[in-house]
């Protein structure tokens, strides 16, 4: 079943008939906001509501994570796990066409309504494993923004994270790029007292997820190993600051932060946190030691498969 919300196509062919996860009443509030107000009014609403979920889903800052990527007007983009559309609109402004895959119909309605004037967005409802089997298009870019950590829920296999990347990569054109944004399991903010983003337990990721199942983040070496095993041996790491959710700067291995630059560290808006030490001073020490890439709070990775030689 295909329906349209404004210019956005909503394809429910593979929708299971009910949302299998939900953030509760805030999603109803978000849907009411995006159907009532224009995008230009979102910042005012964020300021009035003073609610983390409203900030997280509606802030234009979210789009910074992909705004700088060299996506062209001829490019086709597959956004896996598009959620409420915080990044979809930015991708739509850059690309020729954006196909989204999202399991939640409520979140897809939020996405479609906030982007209803954009005629290059199609949202495919359903579980990734089911929907992707029916994709016929090959893409220049595939994005996994805040999605990879849930790989066990997307992919039913003994090696879900490697297979997630392999499956996502199978929909790339030759030379196409897979983009991933994810928290660093060993990000400095977790040592400094922020709770783990997904389970809310202090030091849970640092201690190796001893009690949490179904979601996990990774250190840089762990991600490098997973990508290598999935065949993505061309990897470019970037470091969104303060993190990938609300990135104000994006550093690279060619341009790392300098001592004294990282001073905006208290951005844990969703939960209370401990304040164990001065993160700015700790970051300065880490930068001087040449270890920033290991302790950055988040990663943005642009990966590509090595082209096979015909020789």
């Amino acid at each position: 079943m295909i329906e349209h919300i404004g210019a956005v196509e909503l394809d429910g062919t593979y929708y299971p008939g009910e949302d299998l996860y939900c953030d509760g009443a805030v999603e109803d509030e978000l849907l009411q906001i995006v159907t009532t107000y224009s995008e230009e009014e979102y910042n005012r609403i964020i300021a009035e509501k003073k609610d983390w979920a409203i900030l997280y889903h509606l802030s234009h800052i979210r789009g910074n994570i992909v705004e700088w990527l060299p996506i062209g007007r001829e490019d086709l983009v597959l956004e896996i796990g598009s959620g409420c559309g915080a990044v979809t609109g930015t991708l739509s402004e850059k690309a020729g066409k954006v196909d989204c895959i999202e399991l939640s119909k409520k979140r897809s309605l939020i996405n479609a309504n906030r982007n209803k004037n954009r005629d290059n967005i199609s949202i495919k409802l359903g579980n990734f494993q089911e929907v992707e089997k029916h994709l016929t298009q090959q893409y220049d870019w595939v994005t996994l923004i805040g999605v990879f950590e849930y790989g066990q829920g997307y992919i039913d296999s003994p090696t879900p994270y490697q297979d997630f990347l392999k499956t996502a990569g199978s929909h790339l054109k030759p030379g196409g790029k897979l983009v991933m944004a994810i928290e660093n399991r060993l990000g400095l903010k977790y040592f400094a007292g922020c709770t783990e983003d997904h389970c809310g337990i202090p030091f849970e990721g640092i201690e190796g997820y001893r009690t949490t199942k179904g979601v996990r983040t990774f250190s840089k070496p762990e991600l490098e190993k997973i990508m290598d095993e999935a065949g993505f041996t061309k990897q470019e790491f970037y470091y969104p600051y303060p993190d990938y959710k609300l990135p104000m700067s994006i550093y690279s291995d060619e341009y790392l932060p300098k001592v004294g630059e990282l001073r905006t560290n208290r951005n844990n808006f969703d939960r209370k946190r401990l304040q164990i030490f001065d993160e700015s001073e700790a970051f300065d020490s880490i930068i001087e030691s040449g270890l920033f890439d290991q302790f950055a709070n988040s990663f943005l990775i642009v990966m590509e498969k090595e082209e096979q030689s015909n020789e």
Side-chain angles (χ1 to χ4, degrees):
M1 174 180 155
I2 295 178
E3 59 182 300
H4 288 85
I5 296 176
V8 176
E9 180 182 272
L10 203 60
D11 183 350
T13 303
Y14 304 105
Y15 179 58
E18 62 176 337
D19 286 354
L20 302 179
Y21 66 89
C22 178
D23 279 346
V26 70
E27 292 190 5
D28 294 317
E29 186 175 10
L30 285 165
L31 184 57
Q32 187 272 330
I33 290 170
V34 299
T35 54
T36 304
Y37 300 98
S38 68
E39 188 173 355
E40 290 72 25
E41 296 177 277
Y42 289 175
N43 283 341
R44 175 180 60 80
I45 294 166
I46 290 169
E48 291 174 355
K49 295 288 185 179
K50 294 181 174 60
D51 182 278
W52 160 249
I54 303 296
L55 169 67
Y56 175 68
H57 289 293
L58 295 186
S59 174
H60 68 279
I61 298 172
R62 294 286 308 284
N64 289 350
I65 197 67
V66 296
E67 193 280 331
W68 64 281
L69 292 172
I71 299 172
R73 291 304 299 174
E74 303 301 317
D75 288 347
L76 304 177
V77 177
L78 177 64
E79 183 187 10
I80 299 172
S82 51
C84 296
V87 176
T88 307
T90 304
L91 292 172
S92 171
E93 290 175 357
K94 298 176 68 65
K97 180 75 166 63
V98 180
D99 287 342
C100 306
I101 298 178
E102 172 57 42
L103 180 58
S104 165
K105 185 170 185 179
K106 179 67 67 67
R107 293 187 176 194
S108 295
L109 289 172
I110 296 167
N111 189 353
N113 276 279
R114 73 190 293 176
N115 291 303
K116 62 186 177 184
N117 295 324
R118 305 180 189 276
D119 62 2
N120 63 342
I121 297 173
S122 173
I123 305 173
K124 302 178 187 301
L125 291 168
N127 184 278
F128 171 69
Q129 274 193 296
E130 179 63 27
V131 174
E132 69 85 16
K133 291 187 295 186
H134 303 279
L135 293 176
T136 57
Q137 183 70 62
Q138 294 291 101
Y139 297 89
D140 301 283
W141 300 82
V142 174
T143 68
L144 299 168
I145 309 298
V147 171
F148 188 67
E149 55 265 43
Y150 298 100
Q152 289 180 338
Y154 280 89
I155 302 295
D156 183 17
S157 88
T159 54
Y161 300 102
Q162 291 85 343
D163 292 340
F164 196 1
L165 293 185
K166 289 178 183 178
T167 303
S170 71
H171 298 288
L172 284 169
K173 295 178 182 179
K177 293 179 171 60
L178 180 59
V179 180
M180 179 201 304
I182 188 171
E183 295 90 350
N184 178 7
R185 181 174 69 82
L186 301 180
L188 183 66
K189 69 178 185 179
Y190 296 132
F191 289 94
C194 287
T195 59
E196 204 280 341
D197 283 66
H198 306 91
C199 64
I201 302 173
F203 314 116
E204 177 72 356
I206 293 172
E207 295 177 351
Y209 294 97
R210 295 187 299 173
T211 61
T212 300
K213 307 299 180 185
V215 60
R216 60 161 301 152
T217 58
F218 303 91
S219 66
K220 185 178 181 181
E222 288 169 336
L223 286 171
E224 289 172 327
K225 183 174 185 292
I226 291 170
M227 290 186 289
D228 284 342
E229 291 172 348
F232 287 94
T233 52
K234 295 176 70 174
Q235 307 159 7
E236 295 179 359
F237 272 80
Y238 298 88
Y239 312 99
Y241 177 80
D243 58 25
Y244 85 86
K245 293 178 179 176
L246 295 170
M248 301 304 294
S249 303
I250 298 178
Y251 293 96
S252 69
D253 288 318
E254 286 69 39
Y255 186 89
L256 292 168
K258 298 177 176 60
V259 170
E261 276 188 24
L262 305 186
R263 290 290 182 264
T264 314
N265 298 305
R266 303 193 69 174
N267 285 276
N268 199 66
F269 300 116
D270 55 337
R271 300 184 181 98
K272 291 182 179 179
R273 58 163 294 178
L274 304 172
Q275 191 71 43
I276 296 177
F277 55 75
D278 187 323
E279 286 164 80
S280 297
E281 296 298 326
F283 262 132
D284 284 349
S285 177
I286 286 169
I287 291 166
E288 287 181 323
S289 299
L291 294 172
F292 176 74
D293 65 320
Q294 301 295 319
F295 292 98
N297 289 326
S298 292
F299 300 123
L300 177 69
I301 310 155
V302 179
M303 66 190 89
E304 185 178 347
K305 292 185 177 179
E306 294 279 0
E307 293 187 19
Q308 298 295 318
S309 173
N310 293 324
E311 296 181 3

